[in-house]
Amino acid sequence: MAYDYAFVHLVYTIPLAGILTVILRPLLSRSDIWKTLAIILIAFFATLPWDSYLIRHSIWTYPPEAILGPRLFSIPAEELFFFIIQTYITALLYILLNKPMLHPQFLTNHEESSPATRRFRTYGQLLLSAAIIMGGFLITKGGEGTYLGLILIWACPFLLLTWTQSGYFLLKLPRACIVTPIIAPTLYLWLVDELALGRGTWAIESGTKLGWCLWGSLEVEEAVFFLVTNTLIVFGLAAFDRGTAVINTFPEIFPGTSRGMYFKSFLKAIVTTPEKYDMGRVRGIREAVCTLRRKSRSFYLASAVFPGSLRIDLILLYSFCRVADDLVDDSATNVEAEGWIQKLTGYLDRAYGGASTDVNSYAEKNFPVPSQSALKLLPTRLLPSAPLYELLEGFRMDLDFTDGKFPIENEADIQFYASRVASTVGELCLWLTFHHSATSLSKDEKTRLIQAATTMGYALQYVNIARDILVDAEMGRVYLPTDWLREESLTPRDILNNPKQPKAEMLRQKLLDLAFQKYEESRYTMNLLPSEVRGPLIVAVESYMEIGRVLREKSGIPSKTKRGRATVPGSRRLWVAWKNLNTS
């Protein structure tokens, strides 16, 4: 019997915590680890005096034969461990569900919030205030409502504080990110508590409880306790994420935040009123996230594991590249497309000329409203200009597919094209990585990494071309080298007329072989990347190369198709990400 409470942990809490740890271990960032430790410490020391009071006043009791014996301030060691393990389980579930979310997009303020949201926040404040008053009344009255009153008077002030500070952020987050990590552990712990109460592992004295049970032996006070404690944990983590999001989103408010100064900046972020938010930037980030989610599921998945500020800048870079590409590709004529390229060139001329006001004015006058934020938020201060100009030249190469021309004559041409439309983006991503990483790399290491990014860009673009033979043919384009076609007694026109023919599939496989050759040449050099970004960048590459692996398969997991393009099943994407993070 002395092992009853320990048995609860061995059977119900520790295995669940272990499973969540195994799943999340490769996904956890330093920020995740620190906020988990912080919330555990806060929960432990906030609960310690309250729990001790309950035991000393015989509101909670533990039969001596159900516990091992060691106590701290009258609290059994098993109960102290419960403070830790419950917080740990709920925190990991919250982190798992929030990992795909870019929290800066959910920042908002009073002016932007809808009337319904503002009312809901106010109702929450009133409800929690009423709960505090009710708790005080029940304690003053004494008797059967004492335990419930102690729960309310202890928990609700913390809930009111976090709700007041982060209510708009909490209401903006997807419901599953907040409600699920509250409800799922609560229901589980209700079941565990009902079993423990039924076994007599712990008990609530009858003179201080209402005597109502939800089912079986589960007292209503215990049900409320687990609900409010899990809510406290989730609200606390959300408040932490809001503060971190503010730091990452508005670097002008927190210039040069280092690890040593992070705690001071975090406290400043917590008390920064939403009225100081630059909502134009927040809305631009939201638009960039939507663009990424719609246009590149591979990079969207990979972006979830990048550190916060780097993740924002990478998404903003992707958004610019995607918007620029769409402006050119969606043009009705080559003349219109060339006009967009010239306007984009003009934008870069101004962005790197130092006149920020002129840049914004130029974007507003020359680009459609949905495109403007992608241009304005491009982090040009962190990026060299040459790769961006080269990217525009790559777009111009697409315009050469006119009047029966097929400019990709040989392997050198397709490599040159890939260097402009893909290698340039890889280099730009590296420059953002160099800026945001806390690890300093030597000039030689940076040079080797940039060269590897160039080669990996070839690989990724070749996979892209191999995937899109049908889609490109519908646009009148054939990126397969003409001399490859000639060797098979084909012309580009033959591919346009029948992109699904067996010889086209054979050439697809030839291009994929070249893609994986370039991939192998550059993959090892990625190990030079700083540890905090190595795994995420490898996931970004591997997620895209998995499309190539699907295209090469003759059997096994069938590829899905979308608009004639092979795609990777979601479960397989997740496995690739988890596996590579676990081994990076």
Side-chain angles (χ1 to χ4, degrees):
M1 284 294 289
Y3 296 97
D4 264 12
Y5 201 163
F7 177 82
V8 169
H9 288 305
L10 290 172
V11 174
Y12 297 109
T13 63
I14 293 176
L16 179 57
I19 292 170
L20 288 171
T21 301
V22 170
I23 293 172
L24 262 172
R25 191 190 68 81
L27 305 176
L28 292 175
S29 65
R30 285 194 180 95
S31 177
D32 293 328
I33 293 170
W34 281 113
K35 74 182 178 187
T36 301
L37 289 173
I39 203 70
I40 287 174
L41 289 173
I42 292 170
F44 184 88
F45 286 107
T47 309
L48 189 67
W50 181 79
D51 203 318
S52 178
Y53 177 89
L54 295 181
I55 294 171
R56 290 175 183 273
H57 288 78
S58 300
I59 295 172
W60 270 355
T61 59
Y62 301 90
E65 64 274 14
I67 59 176
L68 296 174
R71 292 173 180 258
L72 176 66
F73 301 117
S74 302
I75 305 173
E78 298 92 330
E79 179 75 0
L80 296 169
F81 183 71
F82 212 121
F83 303 166
I84 297 170
I85 199 74
Q86 178 191 348
T87 308
Y88 182 74
I89 289 170
T90 302
L92 287 193
L93 183 58
Y94 170 89
I95 291 170
L96 179 63
L97 294 171
N98 278 267
K99 183 57 68 172
M101 302 299 156
L102 182 67
H103 286 123
Q105 67 179 307
F106 303 112
L107 293 173
T108 188
N109 58 22
H110 184 81
E111 288 71 24
E112 192 197 51
S113 299
S114 67
T117 299
R118 293 195 290 269
R119 286 196 300 270
F120 201 91
R121 178 175 177 267
T122 301
Y123 293 156
Q125 291 173 315
L126 293 174
L127 179 63
L128 290 170
S129 299
I132 294 170
I133 295 170
M134 175 62 72
F137 171 75
L138 291 173
I139 293 171
T140 302
K141 181 177 179 241
E144 294 179 347
T146 302
Y147 181 25
L148 180 59
L150 287 167
I151 294 173
L152 297 176
I153 202 71
W154 166 69
C156 290
F158 292 108
L159 289 173
L160 178 60
L161 177 63
T162 52
W163 180 260
T164 299
Q165 287 290 328
S166 305
Y168 289 131
F169 180 72
L170 284 161
L171 291 169
K172 195 77 173 179
L173 281 169
R175 295 292 176 266
C177 294
I178 296 297
V179 176
T180 303
I182 292 174
I183 297 301
T186 297
L187 293 174
Y188 183 75
L189 292 173
W190 280 359
L191 176 61
V192 173
D193 192 68
E194 195 275 336
L195 294 172
L197 286 168
R199 287 170 57 89
T201 305
W202 55 74
I204 308 170
E205 290 303 311
S206 57
T208 60
K209 64 181 180 179
L210 296 172
W212 304 340
C213 294
L214 288 189
W215 77 80
S217 303
L218 180 62
E219 306 277 357
V220 68
E221 290 89 349
E222 286 289 87
V224 172
F225 172 78
F226 285 116
L227 178 62
V228 299
T229 51
N230 284 318
T231 303
L232 280 167
I233 296 165
V234 169
F235 278 22
L237 292 167
F240 185 98
D241 283 341
R242 184 185 73 88
T244 303
V246 171
I247 293 174
N248 292 333
T249 307
F250 309 117
E252 68 280 359
I253 302 178
F254 309 94
T257 298
S258 63
R259 290 186 184 179
M261 295 293 291
Y262 186 84
F263 183 70
K264 181 179 178 180
S265 295
F266 180 75
L267 292 179
K268 180 181 177 182
I270 286 292
V271 300
T272 297
T273 60
E275 283 65 35
K276 294 184 179 180
Y277 296 170
D278 177 359
M279 292 309 301
R281 179 172 173 81
V282 174
R283 285 189 289 271
I285 290 173
R286 291 175 191 162
E287 292 170 6
V289 171
C290 288
T291 299
L292 179 61
R293 189 186 293 118
R294 284 187 289 107
K295 298 289 187 175
S296 178
R297 292 191 297 168
S298 296
F299 191 67
Y300 179 69
L301 172 65
S303 75
V305 290
F306 280 101
S309 55
L310 173 59
R311 185 182 182 187
I312 293 173
D313 282 338
L314 286 172
I315 289 175
L316 294 177
L317 170 62
Y318 177 88
S319 179
F320 171 84
C321 296
R322 185 73 264 170
V323 164
D325 189 32
D326 287 347
L327 286 171
V328 176
D329 272 355
D330 295 343
S331 297
T333 65
N334 274 14
V335 173
E336 181 185 349
E338 179 62 38
W340 286 122
I341 292 174
Q342 291 178 3
K343 288 180 180 179
L344 288 164
T345 302
Y347 179 81
L348 292 180
D349 290 343
R350 288 162 176 78
Y352 285 95
S356 59
T357 303
D358 184 43
V359 169
N360 292 338
S361 175
Y362 182 85
E364 291 166 2
K365 291 178 180 178
N366 291 278
F367 292 90
V369 172
S371 305
Q372 291 175 13
S373 66
L375 277 70
K376 292 179 180 179
L377 296 183
L378 177 67
T380 52
R381 63 186 178 85
L382 308 179
L383 299 170
S385 62
L388 290 166
Y389 284 109
E390 279 293 301
L391 178 63
L392 298 184
E393 289 303 313
F395 296 159
R396 187 170 274 118
M397 289 180 69
D398 290 326
L399 304 184
D400 292 338
F401 288 93
T402 56
D403 301 324
K405 296 179 182 178
F406 297 94
I408 308 298
E409 282 285 339
N410 49 48
E411 194 173 311
D413 289 336
I414 196 174
Q415 180 171 300
F416 183 55
Y417 174 72
S419 71
R420 282 183 157 176
V421 299
S423 298
T424 50
V425 179
E427 180 181 347
L428 291 167
C429 290
L430 274 185
W431 284 110
L432 291 177
T433 297
F434 298 155
H435 172 79
H436 288 286
S437 174
T439 304
S440 297
L441 298 176
S442 67
K443 184 177 179 180
D444 177 64
E445 288 173 326
K446 289 182 178 179
T447 300
R448 290 174 61 189
L449 283 167
I450 290 173
Q451 181 55 54
T454 299
T455 306
M456 190 65 80
Y458 304 156
L460 298 179
Q461 187 59 29
Y462 295 166
V463 169
N464 188 58
I465 293 171
R467 180 191 65 178
D468 291 346
I469 290 175
L470 174 61
V471 174
D472 290 334
E474 292 173 350
M475 299 173 64
R477 300 175 183 178
V478 178
Y479 290 94
L480 294 170
T482 302
D483 62 355
W484 287 14
L485 297 172
R486 195 177 298 119
E487 291 172 4
E488 302 300 328
S489 302
L490 294 174
T491 67
R493 285 288 176 190
D494 295 325
I495 299 298
L496 293 183
N497 293 332
N498 186 9
K500 296 183 179 180
Q501 62 182 288
K503 287 186 177 181
E505 180 59 34
M506 184 187 70
L507 292 173
R508 186 203 308 273
Q509 297 302 321
K510 182 176 180 179
L511 184 57
L512 288 171
D513 289 342
L514 184 58
F516 278 93
Q517 176 190 327
K518 297 299 182 183
Y519 161 82
E520 293 293 343
E521 289 177 13
S522 55
R523 174 64 179 81
Y524 179 76
T525 308
M526 294 185 74
N527 293 328
L528 293 176
L529 288 163
S531 59
E532 68 268 25
V533 296
R534 184 187 308 131
L537 281 173
I538 288 174
V539 167
V541 167
E542 294 294 344
S543 296
Y544 209 86
M545 292 305 296
E546 199 66 16
I547 297 172
R549 295 186 182 101
V550 167
L551 289 168
R552 296 178 86 179
E553 289 173 354
K554 303 299 182 182
S555 59
I557 301 174
S559 66
K560 298 180 180 180
T561 60
K562 183 179 181 181
R563 293 182 63 241
R565 294 174 169 175
T567 61
V568 182
S571 59
R572 182 164 169 173
R573 289 175 185 271
L574 291 173
W575 167 246
V576 168
W578 188 88
K579 178 182 68 175
N580 282 282
L581 284 171
N582 209 33
T583 56
S584 298

